Amino acid sequence: MHRNPNLGQTFALLTRKRQELFRPVLENPRGYVLLSVRELARRLKVDAATAVRIILKMGFGSYREFQHYLHELSVSQATSLDMMQSSKTKGSSISAHIQEAVDHDVQSLQRFRNVLDSERIAAVAKRLHQATRIVVLGGDLAANLVGYLHYHLILLGLPAMAATTSGEAAHLTRSAGKSDVVIALSFRRGLRQTVEGLQQARANGAYCIGITDTLVSPIARFAHECLIVSVETPSYGASYAAPMSLLNGLITACGFINPKKNLELLRKVAEEQRHGFRWYRD
């Protein structure tokens, strides 16, 4: 599917009048994404042919491609209010809302399962095993995913570091080099500290992997490769059901890259888990 990675540049080539005409569409894509080209033109008070010419000038191959872009843009710009208002069980019981949220998670997991590229995830795991250092970037709510992945990587003795604050992101990516791998997790618009950390790491030569929910995310734009998973939910937050499934797949791959070495390490882990001082005893 076509995506326009240089929309900022092509948009700037439009006349000021045409920029102002389409600016509301790009700033509020949810209000336009379902419109036909005639309905869009009517809303913008131009004829359909003019609307299509402007869309082609922006670099899209067709109106359908532009609609796909608006859909991705609406995903990236979604707020907690937008998600809450997307619920299809308005006015229903609390139980119905709970069921809808869980059903939505199941659907997100199924979509992820349908497009799962196991070989690609295995290749990422191999790259992690070869890295001098692994920096896992993410803040705000995504800090929970960072902590989860970081914990499992260090359990295998991999040289992983977590960066969940702006200072940590800046310092760790500033010193990242060509033998390092940086994993950046951020969804929707993209958290500034994560995006800027990713940019800095890539400029320094580190191999950058993004995990986000849309191809128009700056995470997807600045990473060498990007894994896409949905965080949509009919509630006010973000659902990490699909991202957690992706991380579990990656963690599993890491465990089986060097099974002999990892099993020997995990025997020591098992001993600590059975008898270590961290665990409660009656």
Side-chain angles (χ1 to χ4, degrees):
M1 186 182 297
H2 174 81
R3 288 292 184 273
N4 190 332
N6 298 310
L7 183 61
Q9 296 177 16
T10 56
F11 188 73
L13 296 176
L14 299 178
T15 64
R16 178 168 296 183
K17 182 178 180 181
R18 287 185 169 184
Q19 287 181 18
E20 293 307 312
L21 185 68
F22 266 77
R23 195 179 305 279
V25 180
L26 299 177
E27 291 180 349
N28 182 31
R30 298 180 80 87
Y32 296 88
V33 67
L34 297 179
L35 300 181
S36 68
V37 65
R38 292 184 182 280
E39 291 169 333
L40 174 69
R42 189 178 304 114
R43 183 83 65 87
L44 298 180
K45 299 180 180 179
V46 296
D47 60 84
T50 299
V52 171
R53 279 197 299 272
I54 297 173
I55 288 167
L56 297 178
K57 185 72 173 179
M58 284 191 285
F60 297 97
S62 65
Y63 181 69
R64 184 171 181 80
E65 286 183 358
F66 181 65
Q67 279 187 305
H68 284 309
Y69 177 81
L70 289 184
H71 171 72
E72 297 289 344
L73 199 61
S74 67
V75 169
S76 72
Q77 295 182 4
T79 65
S80 295
L81 177 62
D82 292 330
M83 300 315 300
M84 195 80 165
Q85 291 177 331
S86 72
S87 172
K88 298 178 181 179
T89 58
K90 295 179 177 65
S92 301
S93 67
I94 298 297
S95 295
H97 285 290
I98 293 170
Q99 187 67 51
E100 182 188 22
V102 173
D103 288 346
H104 206 291
D105 282 351
V106 172
Q107 292 166 11
S108 293
L109 286 169
Q110 187 59 54
R111 285 196 298 271
F112 170 62
R113 176 66 181 84
N114 290 341
V115 298
L116 178 63
D117 188 342
S118 300
E119 293 301 320
R120 188 180 180 198
I121 294 175
V124 170
K126 291 178 183 177
R127 190 178 285 273
L128 295 183
H129 273 266
Q130 296 165 356
T132 299
R133 190 173 60 162
I134 304 163
V135 179
V136 189
L137 294 176
D140 200 31
L141 188 59
N144 296 287
L145 295 175
V146 171
Y148 183 79
L149 178 58
H150 174 252
Y151 186 92
H152 282 84
L153 294 178
I154 61 174
L155 186 63
L156 292 180
L158 294 174
M161 300 179 180
T164 57
T165 69
S166 57
E168 290 169 341
H171 299 321
L172 287 175
T173 57
R174 185 185 299 118
S175 60
K178 293 182 179 179
S179 62
D180 297 329
V181 173
V182 172
I183 302 176
L185 300 100
S186 193
F187 304 93
R188 295 177 179 158
R189 289 180 182 270
L191 196 64
R192 180 176 179 178
Q193 70 186 50
T194 307
V195 175
E196 291 182 350
L198 180 64
Q199 287 179 288
Q200 181 167 254
R202 178 158 183 165
N204 288 347
Y207 189 80
C208 298
I209 300 167
I211 297 177
T212 189
D213 58 334
T214 169
L215 288 169
V216 302
S217 166
I219 295 295
R221 192 159 66 247
F222 297 124
H224 289 96
E225 65 174 308
C226 194
L227 303 170
I228 304 295
V229 282
S230 174
V231 296
E232 288 192 46
T233 175
S235 182
Y236 58 87
S239 170
Y240 282 170
M244 284 292 287
S245 185
L246 167 61
L247 294 186
N248 283 337
L250 178 58
I251 289 164
T252 299
C254 286
F256 285 94
I257 290 295
N258 191 339
K260 184 177 179 180
K261 177 183 175 182
N262 288 337
L263 286 173
E264 182 60 35
L265 176 63
L266 291 174
R267 287 188 184 94
K268 299 176 183 178
V269 172
E271 184 65 21
E272 190 274 335
Q273 289 175 341
R274 291 192 186 99
H275 308 294
F277 73 92
R278 292 188 298 133
W279 307 99
Y280 175 76
R281 295 182 185 179
D282 281 324

